[in-house]
Amino acid sequence: MNAETTMPAWQSIAILVGRLIFAAVFLMAAVFKFMDLNATAGYIAMAGFPVPLVLAWLAAIFECLLVICFLTGAYFTEASLLAAVYVVFLAFAFHGPSHWAGNQAEFGFFVDHFTFLAGLLFAAVHGPGRILTWRRSAIG
């Protein structure tokens, strides 16, 4: 018997709700990108990145893959860690110190990414829980 099977129901539900929140955030981000990939590409170009339309497509596809991982629990730890790296990249690339002088709200957006980072790191360590979770079978 492991700690996960003796976990109180409220903790399992809290983990599932956290997964749903992660999935919802990345789903909204992907949907907004797909709704206007050219606008997303423009935003990426303004940040100084090359091939902005390709990057917009890659970001939207990556976010969709994260949604699948968070909803199913498949590759959950790996997805949480990749999402954490992505969130830090977004914080610095689009809301970092170079943006603060022009708009003080950017500092708040920057800090918010680190709150999200903390949740993703916590999720990566503790896993997807036992409710509605796809498990990889052990080989060997």
Side-chain angles (χ1 to χ4, degrees):
M1 187 179 298
N2 63 30
E4 200 170 272
T5 58
T6 60
M7 180 183 296
W10 73 267
Q11 289 178 348
S12 294
I13 293 168
I15 292 170
L16 179 60
V17 169
R19 284 174 42 202
L20 293 173
I21 291 169
F22 287 146
V25 168
F26 284 110
L27 179 62
M28 286 187 292
V31 165
F32 286 130
K33 284 177 182 65
F34 283 127
M35 285 173 45
D36 193 348
L37 278 166
N38 289 323
T40 301
Y43 192 62
I44 291 170
M46 283 179 18
F49 292 100
V51 293
L53 189 57
V54 171
L55 291 176
W57 272 101
L58 290 174
I61 292 166
F62 178 66
E63 290 165 353
C64 288
L65 292 172
L66 290 175
V67 169
I68 292 167
C69 291
F70 289 130
L71 289 178
T72 65
Y75 302 98
F76 184 81
T77 297
E78 296 86 348
S80 296
L81 292 173
L82 287 171
V85 170
Y86 182 62
V87 164
V88 170
F89 164 75
L90 294 175
F92 280 97
F94 297 100
H95 306 288
S98 65
H99 300 277
W100 299 346
N103 182 355
Q104 288 184 336
E106 289 293 338
F107 178 74
F109 299 143
F110 179 78
V111 171
D112 287 345
H113 282 70
F114 289 90
T115 305
F116 196 34
L117 169 66
L120 288 165
L121 292 174
F122 197 86
V125 170
H126 292 282
R130 60 188 165 120
I131 299 175
L132 299 174
T133 302
W134 178 77
R135 299 264 184 216
R136 289 182 265 175
S137 59
I139 300 174

